[in-house]
Amino acid sequence: MKATINGEMRELPDGITLAGLLEDLGAPRSGIAVARNQQVVRRAEFDTQQIADGDTIEIIKAVAGG
């Protein structure tokens, strides 16, 4: 299955969830926002939201500064 992650096409295992993707990428589960097909996904749904072929996922890290 293929999905676009932060603008890059990637091959992913069938049935992978957003939580599984974040784990594979080494991304933290806090301090980030995730959008699937331009819809923000609540953190509580990361474990149940399966990525489908052709999905577009954006992972945005919060930064602070001044």
Side-chain angles (χ1 to χ4, degrees):
M1 161 184 69
K2 292 184 181 180
T4 303
I5 313 299
N6 288 354
E8 180 181 325
M9 183 67 73
R10 292 179 155 232
E11 187 72 35
L12 300 173
D14 290 338
I16 191 169
T17 62
L18 288 174
L21 174 64
L22 293 173
E23 184 177 321
D24 286 353
L25 295 174
R29 287 186 66 148
S30 61
I32 63 166
V34 177
R36 177 178 175 226
N37 300 324
Q38 300 181 355
Q39 296 291 319
V40 174
V41 178
R42 295 179 357 176
R43 189 168 288 119
E45 297 174 351
F46 287 0
D47 290 322
T48 58
Q49 286 272 326
Q50 287 190 339
I51 300 170
D53 191 46
D55 277 356
T56 299
I57 309 295
E58 295 293 329
I59 303 166
I60 303 158
K61 295 180 185 178
V63 294

